[in-house]
Amino acid sequence: LSPNAMHRAAEGLQTFETLSGLGPYPVRVLTQPVREAGRVTSVIQVGMSLESVTVTRRRFLLVMATVLPLALLFAGGGGWLLAQRALRPVDRMTEAARRISAEHLDERLDTTGSGDELDRLAATLNDMLGRLDAAFRQVRQFSADASHELQTPLTILKGELEVALRAPRSPDEYQRVLASALEESERVARLVEGLLLLSRADAGVLRMDRQPLDLAELVLEVGESARVLAEAQGVTLEFKSLAPVTIDGDRAHLRRLLLNLVDNGIKYTLARGRVTLTLQRDGEWAALRVADTGIGLAPEEQERIFQRFY
């Protein structure tokens, strides 16, 4: 008996101990006192060798030492294969994205239709590519429009200045050339302003300053401005009916629109022709009409009147 077991037995308490030196393996011992008439008369000890526990633990450690590296190897290999399979669509998307450049923005990433995260990512990237494609098209369209419209006045301006510099001129001739150059410069400025307006409209950033507007007053103002052009063309500009109408609109844009229509009417109407402006109420709407007795448009041309620069 160990001193601890003896002391506890005297108090009538049982004791669990692991003892060494009793054999090749430790022994687990239970010391149980036996009481008779309220006093300890004897002690019973039961012991069991821990050989099976020790052997089992060693065997477990040996198995773990052997199996764990294999398990890690198989888990790593399986994870790598799964990752390769899972990331294969990402690799395809990456390769497709590398092929897409500013000249091939019409290409799109493939989707599987599964609706998973990669499909949603591809759809988002395709939407972004669509917006980039539209932006690049607007830039290319603006460049083409600018070069197309500016070529004629700049060529005229350059030609007149070159002719004026070939030989000495009189003051009156120089004044005529400068006046013509100023006219072409103003035309270029108007073209640039119009092209910038088209660019802002195409980009969807054209701001509308809507305010209450007397449309009849605007029609009279445009008519008076265009009357000089009409008289120079030998065309009569008249107002058929101007009803008092107030609308919410952008005065600058509406003036540009109306002046453009009237100018076209005058430009394509022969001498002694007539351009008529009419403003009437049509229920909750204001009906503004610009009519002329000009050459008109063939049916096949009417389908193309909204084609830019046609």
Side-chain angles (χ1 to χ4, degrees), residues 129 131 140:
L129 290 172
R131 293 191 295 270
R140 287 193 290 265

Side-chain angles (χ1 to χ4, degrees), residues 96-138:
R98 286 199 186 102
R99 293 195 303 268
I100 297 175
S101 63
E103 301 300 326
H104 301 89
L105 286 175
D106 54 340
E107 295 187 16
R108 294 294 180 269
L109 302 177
D110 295 332
T111 56
T112 60
S114 60
D116 57 7
E117 291 80 1
L118 292 177
D119 246 21
R120 292 197 294 271
L121 175 61
T124 302
L125 291 176
N126 286 337
D127 291 341
M128 181 188 68
L129 290 172
R131 293 191 295 270
L132 287 175
D133 190 19
F136 271 84
R137 288 179 186 275
Q138 290 173 5

Side-chain angles (χ1 to χ4, degrees), residues 154-199:
L154 290 177
T155 301
I156 294 174
L157 180 61
K158 179 182 178 182
E160 290 182 344
L161 293 177
E162 287 177 345
V163 171
L165 291 174
R166 284 179 181 173
R169 308 286 179 178
S170 65
D172 291 339
E173 290 177 330
Y174 279 125
Q175 186 173 5
R176 181 189 61 79
V177 171
L178 291 176
S180 177
L182 179 60
E183 180 181 349
E184 294 299 328
S185 299
E186 291 176 348
R187 181 184 175 191
V188 170
R190 289 195 300 272
L191 285 174
V192 171
E193 181 183 0
L195 289 171
L196 290 176
L197 178 67
L198 285 176
S199 178

Side-chain angles (χ1 to χ4, degrees), residues 11-145:
E11 294 180 355
L13 301 176
Q14 65 181 8
T15 305
F16 281 99
E17 296 176 301
T18 302
L19 303 179
S20 302
L22 301 179
Y25 296 98
V27 177
R28 187 68 169 165
V29 175
L30 168 63
T31 303
Q32 176 69 46
V34 178
R35 300 175 66 91
E36 293 181 5
R39 55 190 294 270
V40 177
T41 59
S42 59
V43 175
I44 298 176
Q45 279 190 328
V46 178
M48 183 183 72
S49 174
L50 295 180
E51 178 182 2
S52 60
V53 176
T54 304
V55 172
T56 302
R57 182 172 58 188
R58 289 176 180 174
R59 186 178 300 147
F60 173 76
L61 293 176
L62 179 62
V63 170
M64 290 297 297
T66 306
V67 172
L68 186 60
L70 295 177
L72 291 176
L73 180 62
F74 282 114
W80 182 80
L81 292 176
L82 289 176
Q84 287 292 316
R85 182 176 180 181
L87 295 178
R88 192 173 297 120
V90 177
D91 292 337
R92 290 197 298 266
M93 291 171 60
T94 303
E95 291 297 326
R98 286 199 186 102
R99 293 195 303 268
I100 297 175
S101 63
E103 301 300 326
H104 301 89
L105 286 175
D106 54 340
E107 295 187 16
R108 294 294 180 269
L109 302 177
D110 295 332
T111 56
T112 60
S114 60
D116 57 7
E117 291 80 1
L118 292 177
D119 246 21
R120 292 197 294 271
L121 175 61
T124 302
L125 291 176
N126 286 337
D127 291 341
M128 181 188 68
L129 290 172
R131 293 191 295 270
L132 287 175
D133 190 19
F136 271 84
R137 288 179 186 275
Q138 290 173 5
V139 171
R140 287 193 290 265
Q141 181 68 47
F142 179 79
S143 301
D145 296 344

